[in-house]
Amino acid sequence: MELLNIDFYRRHSEDLNRTNLRSLQFFSYANLIGAALNLLAQSLISKAVVASSVILLVYALLLFLVVRFFIPKDFKYATIAIYLSMVFPMGITLINGTVLDPEHNAFAFMLYIIAMPPMIMDYPLRPVAFTAAWGILLAFLSYEVKITRIFHGDAVHVLQAMALSIALILIVIDARIRDVVNIAAARSVSEHDELTAVKNRISYVKERQKFLGRRIILAYFDMDNMKLFNDFYGHQLGDEIMRRFAGILIDCFGDENLYRIGGDEFIVARSDISEARFKEKVLDCQNKLAHIRIENYDVHPTVSCGYTLDIARTLEELQDMARLADIRSYYAKQKQKEKIIGGYFDREMVDPKNIELEVERNATASRIDELTGLENMTYFMVHAEEAIQSLMDPDRHKVFLYFNIMHLKKFNEEFGYVEGDNLLKRMAEVLRIYFPNCPTARFAEDHYVVLDYRDGCEEKVERVATLMKTWKEHYPIEIKCGFYEYRGGDEVSLSCDHAKHACDSIKEEPGKFLCEYDTSFEAQLWRKHYVIDHLDDAIAQGNIQVYYQAIFGSVSNKLCNEEALVRWIDPSLGRMRPDNFIPILEKNRLTWKMDLAVVDEVIRGFDERKRVGMNLLPISVNLSRYDFENCDMVKEITDRMDAAGLPHNLMVIEITETAFTENQTRLQREIKRFHEAGFQVWMDDFGSGYSSLNLMRQFEFDMIKLDMDFVTDMDEKSLVIIKQIVNLARQLGIGTIAEGVETQEQAQALRDAGCEKMQGYYFSKPNSLEYIIGRAEQGVGLPFEDPAQSQYYELVGKVDLQNPLVHGMETAEGISMSSVATGVMEFSKDGNYVLRANERYASFAKEAGFVSKDVADIVGAKFEGVPNVHFQAAAKRAIETGDWEQVPEEVEGQIYVSAFLHAVATNPVTGATALLILVMSMSKESRKHILDEALKS
Ligand code: C2E
Ligand code: CA
Ligand code: CA
């Protein structure tokens, strides 16, 4: 029974007090009127009690004035006051009706007893006890002073009045208490939030002036990502999270100054605790919130808190404090841990940021990628976190998969942006097919991220890759995927980064589409930053050094060029190979700095060499394609050579083949400028790219360097290709050089194929300048070509021994030359030497007894004896005419020899002449017979 439940009255004490205050006011009016009427009546009926009526009236007037003018609107003791206010008139009327007037019944007093209950709203037993006490007092006084008949009358009346009074009390209180409760409830609904029962924005607005004029901490709590929680778990659970959070806030801060002012925003105002204590409490709240369990889910909501600490004098100031707290809570959101930001009021911060804030908020509010309908990055981050913590099986391994569609830019250029968008949508579709129910997002452009279990994911990725490959007819779409296995405690964003690194690491590896992250990626990443940050220092401190690798002439078998190869000698990392830092510098367009440092170092090297009296040979430097983007390399290098007083032909420019696929016109122009300035330009790594042959036509090179791979895995097939390239280049007037030569066999085969220059460990490894100068000073340096004779050797080297007739010479048509012994001989005053020889020629020379050397090292061997007169005459003619000349069939000892001769070149220094010799027959039979045989085949 609620009516007699004391707690109920306590709970509503404020409302009851307010009601009683109104009663007090009403009573003070009614009492005044009543006292005036009483005086009038008394003066007409019984003159004896007029005095007491006057006193009553004075009292009523006083009460009225006090209530009217001195009792404040929020008077807290109205209930007691109304009881007390009745004591005096009831006492007066009691004495009036008994001691002073024993002849009559105490009617006025009875009236008060009956009139009192509707006035007082209180726990019913109290007014009942109050009434009863007065009743007993009246009965006692009547018994003492009145004659028996009157006393009996009073006793009956008092019993009636009390019964009536108690009935009234019960009826009136019951009825009115409902009113009070209803009013309170209605007000509570409008001032409290239905979901959490915390006060709402309306109450905040109503109550906030109480925060004015004192030091307060005004804090904004903003739940992070409530929207997303609602999406993952449904609104019921979202509501429950809200309720739990409100509960946690009440636990920590009480509900007196706590308001829910928006969907997921709460305000707390406290003036009674220190800032440090407040922060402690906030962290406590955040901790409690991070580990709540609802139904079967462990949920991990986070909340951000911003607060302002100050004394607000006006409502505007208070509003600004609140706004600043709001802004700070927004910035706290960006933090991962200790999501709390606050401090003193700083007016500067309030206004300008406001708009910016709104904009940012709206941006993060959307969570779907419009093009593909997948999640966007922000959404994915939360979704993945929740999935890992609560939705996925904790015992299975999970992976973040990072997908990248390769060459989207090229695709867009070829098919247009609409088709490009279709490709992106298709990718999203395919991911949904193979990774249903997995958090899946498009991060940017053509990057996608999926969270899935590890087992089976590799096959799924493979299927995605195959499906995408065939999407467009005749245009395979390439997908790369890197993945990272999640370990407990990892941050989602970091896990995505790891997966991305794994994905990036296979960008350049054709055919490879899947790669797992491993810790070396971190080292790589670290090195990347290190390289970029330390390049300038490394140059300034001389840590960028140059090693020189010898390039040999294949005919002279002597050093004819060198290549400058950069080395980064780092004080903490040791010696770094170019592969470790050049790609990084290229990506960041910084190679030009390093390459110019190399040029400087090469020039310094020339000075050193001159100083110790060494011969200067051309040295090639490697330029990156990006060098031209940031710097006028032609001018920079020309200026440096000129400043050092060095002829330009001492520096050769090597540019790698892949450079030529982009921005061709610029490179064509730069190469032309290099040529005009007198520098040679070589194409490096020829054959490593896609359209190498075309490049030979489009660009003007002096030489092409065959890609090392041709030499490294040289077999029959690659030899055929090498020969074809060498021939083709020769016809275009371009020289060839082979690099990566490691064995004698390779050197021999390349020499036979007509490569003019060779480079590789077989000849020499790259060495420091110190080492090279040291060797030279000890007299054990590499033998080098006289630059004046270089051209002579180059021409000799170019001769194709397998197919000598293509070298601009008239052919003896129809003769298959592969079976012919071919060689180049040098004829000079001090003897005749073998410069080049194919296998047949070598064995011919040996069998005929001209040389004693074996086939393998016939090059450089001196011919024994002197050629006969016929041969000498034919050689003379060949040099004069520049044509093929025939040596008639001759008996050389016991052997018939028939040969053709052609001049190749004359050495400007020694005056020696190189002659190409085709030995058509070498037998004991007649030459005619041999020729007939040859013609038949
Ligand atoms: P590259 O220009 O093709 O240089 C040839 C590379 O092959 C050098 O490696 C060299 O040491 C190595 N090598 C030489 N002979 C042999 C051999 O017989 N067998 C094998 N297996 N390797 C051999 P390095 O010095 O590590 O240079 C690597 C690449 O770095 C160079 O390739 C070049 O593209 C680039 N590079 C080197 N120095 C510079 C530079 O100063 N500027 C620029 N932009 N790039 C440079
Ligand atoms: Ca090179
Ligand atoms: Ca190369």
Side-chain angles (χ1 to χ4, degrees):
M1 166 129 170
E2 196 139 73
L3 204 58
L4 284 176
N5 179 352
I6 185 92
D7 275 343
F8 178 81
Y9 291 88
R10 282 210 189 109
R11 228 178 307 142
H12 292 286
S13 69
E14 263 182 45
D15 286 307
L16 296 177
N17 188 62
R18 222 169 287 136
T19 322
N20 288 333
L21 184 62
R22 254 177 281 133
S23 297
L24 183 62
Q25 287 158 349
F26 174 75
F27 176 68
S28 71
Y29 288 109
N31 194 38
L32 187 59
I33 296 165
L37 288 176
N38 181 52
L39 180 62
L40 193 68
Q42 290 295 343
S43 55
L44 295 178
I45 301 163
S46 117
K47 304 264 183 311
V49 288
V50 169
S52 67
S53 292
V54 172
I55 294 171
L56 197 63
L57 182 63
V58 171
Y59 168 76
L61 197 64
L62 273 176
L63 180 70
F64 174 77
L65 293 175
V66 169
V67 170
R68 181 81 178 75
F69 297 107
F70 293 99
I71 290 201
K73 282 204 175 70
D74 57 348
F75 186 56
K76 281 193 186 127
Y77 308 101
T79 309
I80 293 179
I82 195 164
Y83 276 114
L84 289 179
S85 67
M86 288 194 184
V87 172
F88 186 79
M90 286 176 81
I92 285 284
T93 46
L94 177 65
I95 289 169
N96 234 354
T98 51
V99 183
L100 299 183
D101 186 8
E103 318 269 288
H104 295 97
N105 290 109
F107 279 117
F109 174 76
M110 298 296 172
L111 271 177
Y112 272 107
I113 285 195
I114 296 166
M116 187 209 61
M119 298 286 169
I120 301 175
M121 290 292 296
D122 198 0
Y123 182 53
L125 293 185
R126 281 194 286 249
V128 167
F130 187 78
T131 324
W134 285 110
I136 290 165
L137 205 56
L138 171 75
F140 173 75
L141 283 179
S142 294
Y143 177 73
E144 287 293 318
V145 298
K146 292 189 173 176
I147 51 167
T148 317
R149 185 179 49 85
I150 303 287
F151 164 69
H152 284 162
D154 264 3
V156 173
H157 289 312
V158 84
L159 280 178
Q160 282 175 341
M162 273 173 55
L164 191 60
S165 175
I166 289 171
L168 272 175
I169 286 169
L170 293 182
I171 292 166
V172 169
I173 288 187
D174 182 54
R176 287 187 53 204
I177 203 87
R178 275 179 224 283
D179 268 3
V180 171
V181 172
N182 283 344
I183 290 168
R187 192 189 50 241
S188 174
V189 165
S190 70
E191 291 180 3
H192 285 77
D193 168 51
E194 231 178 307
L195 178 67
T196 60
V198 167
K199 287 192 244 181
N200 63 11
R201 178 185 279 276
I202 298 171
S203 349
Y204 173 70
V205 172
K206 256 194 199 162
E207 296 176 11
R208 65 186 164 182
Q209 57 269 52
K210 72 180 174 191
F211 303 127
L212 296 183
R214 48 182 167 153
R215 173 192 169 282
I216 56 158
I217 296 172
L218 194 68
Y220 240 84
F221 286 86
D222 194 345
M223 296 282 290
D224 302 333
N225 307 302
M226 257 334 272
K227 222 175 187 174
L228 312 189
F229 280 106
N230 283 329
D231 290 352
F232 303 150
Y233 300 106
H235 277 271
Q236 274 187 332
L237 223 100
D239 285 354
E240 185 56 28
I241 292 176
M242 224 52 229
R243 261 195 293 269
R244 296 286 183 91
F245 180 53
I248 290 171
L249 281 176
I250 292 171
D251 279 354
C252 288
F253 297 102
D255 62 354
E256 176 62 21
N257 294 327
L258 169 67
Y259 309 88
R260 180 179 177 201
I261 56 138
D264 48 8
E265 294 168 347
F266 293 82
I267 280 188
V268 168
R270 290 292 293 259
S271 55
D272 51 346
I273 50 173
S274 71
E275 191 180 357
R277 180 82 192 96
F278 172 78
K279 269 178 136 172
E280 252 171 49
K281 279 173 176 270
V282 173
L283 291 180
D284 188 33
C285 277
Q286 290 175 334
N287 281 340
K288 282 185 183 154
L289 186 66
H291 305 285
I292 56 176
R293 187 169 176 83
I294 299 175
E295 287 164 27
N296 297 321
Y297 299 108
D298 281 314
V299 215
H300 310 271
T302 53
V303 64
S304 308
C305 174
Y307 67 91
T308 316
L309 166 75
D310 215 326
I311 302 172
R313 314 239 166 249
T314 62
L315 275 182
E316 283 75 54
E317 266 176 12
L318 189 72
Q319 233 167 315
D320 280 349
M321 276 177 71
R323 200 177 305 149
L324 180 55
D326 184 15
I327 291 171
R328 284 172 170 161
S329 79
Y330 176 72
Y331 285 105
K333 252 190 206 318
Q334 330 284 319
K335 293 174 57 174
Q336 294 283 349
K337 291 190 182 94
E338 293 221 353
K339 299 159 82 67
I340 172 166
I341 295 181
Y344 277 92
F345 184 39
D346 174 1
R347 183 168 285 284
E348 289 279 288
M349 270 188 70
V350 181
D351 293 332
K353 287 253 164 39
N354 233 3
I355 298 163
E356 192 187 315
L357 188 73
E358 287 303 318
V359 174
E360 276 182 75
R361 281 210 165 156
N362 287 336
T364 48
S366 74
R367 59 225 139 88
I368 295 297
D369 169 46
E370 287 198 357
L371 180 69
T372 61
L374 295 178
E375 298 166 6
N376 67 16
M377 186 155 82
T378 330
Y379 187 82
F380 178 84
M381 293 291 174
V382 182
H383 190 180
E385 180 76 46
E386 268 317 293
I388 288 172
Q389 304 290 353
S390 316
L391 306 171
M392 291 172 87
D393 183 347
D395 297 328
R396 291 174 67 187
H397 295 282
K398 300 161 196 82
V399 284
F400 283 89
L401 300 147
Y402 198 101
F403 290 89
N404 186 1
I405 305 176
M406 301 301 287
H407 316 300
L408 180 69
K409 211 173 134 208
K410 225 171 110 197
F411 183 92
N412 279 337
E413 278 163 15
E414 195 135 326
F415 299 103
Y417 281 92
V418 176
E419 196 61 3
D421 282 355
N422 285 338
L423 171 60
L424 294 174
K425 284 187 217 162
R426 174 63 185 163
M427 179 69 185
E429 244 169 60
V430 171
L431 287 177
R432 271 207 212 93
I433 293 172
Y434 288 113
F435 300 95
N437 308 322
C438 293
T440 305
R442 185 166 78 113
F443 268 29
E445 281 188 78
D446 48 356
H447 297 190
Y448 299 76
V449 182
V450 177
L451 169 65
D452 194 11
Y453 294 111
R454 174 159 196 158
D455 37 68
C457 80
E458 293 173 35
E459 291 86 75
K460 290 187 208 168
V461 172
E462 189 171 352
R463 279 193 224 128
V464 170
T466 355
L467 209 60
M468 289 307 292
K469 196 176 220 146
T470 52
W471 179 61
K472 192 130 197 107
E473 238 178 296
H474 309 305
Y475 195 98
I477 309 283
E478 206 186 339
I479 301 292
K480 300 275 181 197
C481 175
F483 69 95
Y484 171 71
E485 182 171 324
Y486 176 86
R487 285 169 303 196
D490 284 343
E491 258 170 36
V492 168
S493 61
L494 205 64
S495 306
C496 295
D497 283 353
H498 288 339
K500 179 175 191 299
H501 284 137
C503 184
D504 288 348
S505 75
I506 48 169
K507 256 189 188 162
E508 315 288 337
E509 293 181 45
K512 188 162 180 194
F513 63 91
L514 189 64
C515 174
E516 180 167 8
Y517 174 86
D518 84 63
T519 39
S520 70
F521 290 128
E522 269 161 52
Q524 276 173 26
L525 196 69
W526 182 83
R527 199 175 53 219
K528 182 176 132 184
H529 292 296
Y530 186 90
V531 164
I532 295 170
D533 293 347
H534 291 77
L535 176 67
D536 289 338
D537 285 352
I539 292 174
Q541 288 159 14
N543 294 335
I544 299 295
Q545 297 190 1
V546 173
Y547 271 49
Y548 298 90
Q549 188 176 26
I551 299 176
F552 269 57
S554 30
V555 176
S556 68
N557 207 27
K558 286 177 186 161
L559 183 67
C560 59
N561 289 74
E562 279 172 306
E563 178 176 7
L565 294 162
V566 70
R567 298 288 179 268
W568 181 324
I569 319 287
D570 190 83
S572 52
L573 297 181
R575 199 166 70 156
M576 284 198 279
R577 300 282 308 230
D579 306 343
N580 290 339
F581 56 88
I582 288 181
I584 298 169
L585 294 178
E586 285 194 330
K587 256 192 202 134
N588 293 279
R589 305 292 188 262
L590 287 171
T591 39
W592 63 275
K593 278 191 190 179
M594 187 197 69
D595 286 339
L596 286 179
V598 169
V599 169
D600 285 336
E601 179 56 27
V602 169
I603 288 174
R604 200 187 63 78
F606 277 130
D607 280 348
E608 284 277 292
R609 291 170 202 245
K610 255 199 266 181
R611 208 169 42 75
V612 298
M614 286 175 74
N615 241 358
L616 301 190
L617 296 173
I619 294 180
S620 48
V621 292
N622 292 280
L623 298 190
S624 157
R625 74 189 96 166
Y626 303 111
D627 289 355
F628 301 103
E629 286 178 13
N630 298 295
C631 164
D632 185 349
M633 289 307 273
V634 182
K635 180 173 181 310
E636 295 292 332
I637 294 179
T638 310
D639 289 353
R640 282 168 164 76
M641 291 296 277
D642 291 347
L646 292 167
H648 296 178
N649 63 8
L650 277 182
M651 191 162 284
V652 175
I653 308 299
E654 280 188 28
I655 304 175
T656 185
E657 187 204 283
T658 45
F660 296 94
T661 48
E662 287 169 23
N663 207 336
Q664 303 201 333
T665 26
R666 178 194 279 155
L667 267 174
Q668 271 167 337
R669 195 180 62 222
E670 299 298 314
I671 291 173
K672 199 162 169 237
R673 288 178 62 209
F674 268 127
H675 276 148
E676 283 165 2
F679 294 94
Q680 282 205 11
V681 181
W682 296 359
M683 182 200 272
D684 205 354
D685 306 323
F686 181 86
S688 60
Y690 297 105
S691 49
S692 313
L693 291 180
N694 219 16
L695 295 177
M696 268 206 273
R697 184 176 61 81
Q698 286 170 322
F699 294 90
E700 308 244 320
F701 298 106
D702 300 283
M703 286 208 136
I704 56 177
K705 236 189 205 185
L706 297 178
D707 189 51
M708 210 177 289
D709 286 351
F710 285 122
V711 179
T712 311
D713 350 287
M714 193 155 63
D715 55 9
E716 292 284 304
K717 269 191 191 164
S718 61
L719 206 54
V720 170
I721 296 172
I722 291 174
K723 282 176 190 165
Q724 290 305 318
I725 293 174
V726 171
N727 279 335
L728 205 63
R730 183 186 294 126
Q731 288 175 58
L732 293 168
I734 302 173
T736 41
I737 158 168
E739 70 176 327
V741 181
E742 292 182 351
T743 64
Q744 212 233 303
E745 289 74 45
Q746 289 168 347
Q748 185 63 43
L750 291 160
R751 189 180 284 128
D752 289 349
C755 276
E756 299 141 65
K757 293 177 197 257
M758 282 183 243
Q759 176 183 4
Y761 295 166
Y762 173 64
F763 299 98
S764 168
K765 292 205 166 180
N767 288 310
S768 68
L769 183 63
E770 244 181 341
Y771 176 87
I772 292 170
I773 289 181
R775 301 280 291 181
E777 281 177 336
Q778 289 166 25
V780 289
L782 297 171
F784 52 84
E785 256 180 24
D786 176 359
Q789 300 178 33
S790 285
Q791 209 201 355
Y792 168 73
Y793 286 123
E794 271 173 32
L795 286 170
V796 173
K798 267 184 185 154
V799 173
D800 178 8
L801 296 186
Q802 301 304 323
N803 195 10
L805 304 181
V806 295
H807 184 39
M809 303 172 182
E810 291 286 331
T811 30
E813 261 174 71
I815 299 175
S816 162
M817 290 299 162
S818 52
S819 57
V820 175
T822 314
V824 180
M825 298 285 297
E826 182 179 77
F827 293 88
S828 70
K829 283 179 253 83
D830 55 327
N832 307 323
Y833 296 88
V834 181
L835 289 181
R836 312 268 315 271
N838 68 4
E839 241 173 83
R840 285 207 150 224
Y841 190 86
S843 43
F844 148 74
K846 180 110 200 265
E847 273 176 42
F850 295 140
V851 293
S852 51
K853 296 250 170 133
D854 270 348
V855 181
D857 41 22
I858 188 157
V859 169
K862 189 172 181 183
F863 253 52
E864 322 265 321
V866 189
N868 65 32
V869 284
H870 298 293
F871 190 96
Q872 284 183 19
K876 212 176 156 211
R877 281 201 308 280
I879 293 166
E880 278 165 11
T881 60
D883 257 340
W884 285 106
E885 294 300 333
Q886 191 180 1
V887 182
E889 185 177 3
E890 284 301 333
V891 184
E892 298 277 352
Q894 296 301 311
I895 304 167
Y896 297 92
V897 174
S898 164
F900 287 90
L901 300 183
H902 196 288
V904 176
T906 302
N907 187 324
V909 178
T910 61
T913 308
L915 284 180
L916 171 60
I917 301 175
L918 309 187
V919 180
M920 304 308 290
S921 70
M922 176 201 74
S923 92
K924 293 183 173 136
E925 296 163 52
S926 83
R927 168 203 139 224
K928 277 198 177 73
H929 175 80
I930 303 280
L931 259 185
D932 287 350
E933 288 285 295
L935 284 169
K936 261 185 238 159
S937 63

